[in-house]
Amino acid sequence: MEFSSKLIEQAVNEMAQLPGIGKRTALRLVLHMLKQPAEQVKFLSEALLKMREEIKFCKSCHNISDEEVCDICSNPRRNQSLICVVEDIRDVMAIENTRQFNGIYHVLGGKIAPIEGIGPSQLNINSLVEKVKLGGVDELIFALSSTMEGDTTVFYIYKQLKGVEVKISTIARGIAVGDELEYADEVTLGRSILQRVPYENAMKSS
Amino acid sequence: MEFSSKLIEQAVNEMAQLPGIGKRTALRLVLHMLKQPAEQVKFLSEALLKMREEIKFCKSCHNISDEEVCDICSNPRRNQSLICVVEDIRDVMAIENTRQFNGIYHVLGGKIAPIEGIGPSQLNINSLVEKVKLGGVDELIFALSSTMEGDTTVFYIYKQLKGVEVKISTIARGIAVGDELEYADEVTLGRSILQRVPYENAMKSS
């Protein structure tokens, strides 16, 4: 692609570094910005910069936060003895949207993935183990994705907590609500039978 | 969508204003930026701001440019008496990429579209008409999209130039190279027969 302007070229190249945005899309976005009032682009540019430079991570759960301790951790109405362990900030948002969870979170920041060079020390695992060892935590719910990396991460933390008195559970795996059985994969369908729940419990959905 | 951070929310909202980027994609992009070094985000943010604030439009052809007059208009090896009239900056890039055109351009900045409230005065039409009336232009090639708005725009300019001595042509419409006839629409196929070209000319493709 040839640009008649270095300024455009630079803007396109920077935009195209974002995941899922190729050069063509980047150009479309940049040309759109050119048609917008300069203020609009200033707002965008400043919002991104400010977000990146001022964002804090909650001291306690490592969720993104505008304060030292996030709104969830500092909320007295949340159950501080029930911790849901997730990979990512997006998982916190997804679970919050269900309005089914009243505990607090612990964001690991990823999964153990030796192939990508991510070991336990790069994740927020130590702070979780210490928090549990300090006491006051009744249960850890692991809500990690059901992949080899996710399972490895859960197992690693499980081993670290050997001997510590805390209940450890994982979110239920099964057939998604509304899905048809015949299209479910065998592993999920198999697990959903082995881990069947009493009918009365299943009805307590919300 | 609920955000635990106002900074994130603002960044997502600004990103989601871009065309084709929804809230979910915006969030994915913003969270990606959070994982990047702060410098990377600074580069992006500054490139966008700089581009929007410092970009110039060529005085002569209205193409984007880093100088008062763009590289194409100021190139002595380009034929200044042959002007290709296009809607958009992207069209200039597309035609430049073919390396088949040695004239200069005139960027209208859009098409006449009364429904969207775009009249001739919002487009760079006057400067084109004046340029042609001043003399020195042998031919105008209209390379606008073949829609009602495109045709209206060409017709409007054509009328403005009545009595002015200049050759006016439009790019050829026809079956795309590599396309199969049976899938072509009737109008295009019909035109491609009416506007057939001598075989020897057709072979001079590049």
Side-chain angles (χ1 to χ4, degrees):
Chain A
M1 229 186 271
E2 273 187 50
F3 298 94
S4 55
S5 153
K6 283 259 171 265
L7 293 166
I8 295 280
E9 188 172 0
Q10 221 152 40
V12 168
N13 286 342
E14 289 295 334
M15 285 295 279
Q17 305 235 350
L18 296 173
I21 297 199
K23 285 244 169 156
R24 225 168 242 273
T25 308
L27 177 63
R28 191 168 52 82
L29 296 175
V30 164
L31 292 182
H32 171 85
M33 287 181 212
L34 269 186
K35 286 189 183 168
Q36 296 260 301
E39 269 180 15
Q40 187 73 44
V41 179
K42 208 175 163 196
F43 286 149
L44 167 66
S45 161
E46 280 172 359
L48 295 181
L49 200 63
K50 202 172 169 216
M51 180 270 298
R52 185 62 186 82
E53 286 184 345
E54 292 182 16
I55 199 81
K56 291 190 190 76
F57 291 90
C58 172
K59 267 185 172 178
S60 174
C61 74
H62 310 282
N63 190 11
I64 41 173
S65 169
D66 295 346
E67 312 291 332
E68 294 278 288
V69 174
C70 76
D71 288 350
I72 298 173
C73 285
S74 61
N75 185 342
R77 279 182 291 177
R78 312 264 322 201
N79 181 353
Q80 306 278 332
S81 65
L82 179 63
I83 300 181
C84 182
V85 182
V86 294
E87 281 166 48
D88 207 308
I89 299 152
R90 263 179 293 181
D91 303 325
V92 174
M93 292 174 68
I95 296 174
E96 282 298 283
N97 280 336
T98 70
R99 300 180 190 279
Q100 299 292 322
F101 180 67
N102 191 38
I104 59 172
Y105 296 91
H106 188 91
V107 180
L108 295 175
K111 291 167 287 190
I112 297 174
I115 298 166
E116 294 164 46
I118 302 175
S121 59
Q122 277 123 295
L123 304 174
N124 302 317
I125 290 181
N126 277 344
S127 58
L128 174 65
V129 172
E130 273 164 37
K131 200 194 285 180
V132 175
K133 281 184 177 167
L134 270 175
V137 179
D138 293 334
E139 183 174 354
L140 287 188
I141 305 174
F142 282 97
L144 280 87
S145 47
S146 184
T147 58
M148 202 176 71
E149 285 90 356
D151 292 345
T152 305
T153 310
V154 173
F155 186 65
Y156 178 86
I157 300 173
Y158 176 78
K159 277 203 308 183
Q160 299 289 101
L161 289 171
K162 208 138 218 181
V164 183
E165 204 178 314
V166 64
K167 202 175 147 193
I168 292 180
S169 57
T170 71
I171 54 168
R173 308 290 179 186
I175 307 299
V177 178
D179 266 14
E180 299 200 42
L181 282 203
E182 58 177 321
Y183 300 118
D185 68 287
E186 289 160 29
V187 180
T188 305
L189 187 54
R191 277 213 208 177
S192 78
I193 291 171
L194 289 175
Q195 299 169 359
R196 61 195 175 277
V197 293
Y199 185 64
E200 308 88 65
N201 291 5
M203 289 296 97
K204 287 193 284 188
S205 63
S206 63
Chain B
M1 228 186 273
E2 275 187 47
F3 298 95
S4 54
S5 154
K6 282 258 171 265
L7 292 167
I8 295 281
E9 188 171 358
Q10 222 151 40
V12 168
N13 286 343
E14 290 294 336
M15 285 295 280
Q17 305 234 351
L18 295 174
I21 297 200
K23 285 244 170 159
R24 225 168 242 273
T25 308
L27 177 63
R28 190 167 54 82
L29 295 175
V30 165
L31 292 181
H32 170 85
M33 288 181 211
L34 270 185
K35 286 189 183 168
Q36 296 261 298
E39 270 180 14
Q40 187 73 45
V41 179
K42 209 175 160 195
F43 287 148
L44 168 66
S45 162
E46 280 173 358
L48 295 181
L49 200 61
K50 203 174 167 215
M51 179 270 297
R52 185 62 187 83
E53 288 184 344
E54 293 182 16
I55 198 80
K56 291 190 189 76
F57 290 90
C58 173
K59 270 185 170 178
S60 174
C61 75
H62 308 282
N63 189 13
I64 41 172
S65 170
D66 295 347
E67 311 292 331
E68 294 278 288
V69 175
C70 76
D71 288 349
I72 297 173
C73 285
S74 61
N75 185 342
R77 277 182 291 177
R78 311 254 338 191
N79 182 354
Q80 305 279 333
S81 65
L82 180 62
I83 300 181
C84 182
V85 181
V86 294
E87 281 165 49
D88 207 308
I89 299 151
R90 264 179 292 182
D91 302 325
V92 174
M93 292 173 69
I95 297 174
E96 282 298 284
N97 280 336
T98 69
R99 299 179 190 279
Q100 300 291 323
F101 180 66
N102 191 39
I104 59 172
Y105 296 91
H106 187 92
V107 180
L108 295 176
K111 290 167 288 191
I112 296 174
I115 299 166
E116 293 164 46
I118 302 174
S121 59
Q122 277 124 296
L123 303 174
N124 302 317
I125 290 180
N126 277 344
S127 58
L128 175 64
V129 172
E130 273 164 38
K131 200 194 285 179
V132 176
K133 281 184 176 166
L134 269 177
V137 179
D138 293 334
E139 181 174 354
L140 288 188
I141 305 173
F142 283 97
L144 280 86
S145 47
S146 184
T147 58
M148 203 175 71
E149 286 91 355
D151 292 345
T152 305
T153 310
V154 173
F155 187 65
Y156 178 86
I157 300 173
Y158 176 77
K159 277 202 306 180
Q160 299 290 102
L161 288 171
K162 209 141 215 179
V164 182
E165 203 179 316
V166 64
K167 202 174 146 192
I168 292 181
S169 57
T170 70
I171 52 168
R173 310 289 179 186
I175 307 299
V177 178
D179 266 15
E180 299 200 41
L181 281 203
E182 59 177 321
Y183 300 119
D185 68 287
E186 290 159 30
V187 180
T188 305
L189 189 54
R191 277 213 208 178
S192 77
I193 290 172
L194 289 176
Q195 299 169 358
R196 61 194 175 279
V197 293
Y199 184 64
E200 307 89 66
N201 292 4
M203 288 295 99
K204 287 192 286 188
S205 63
S206 62

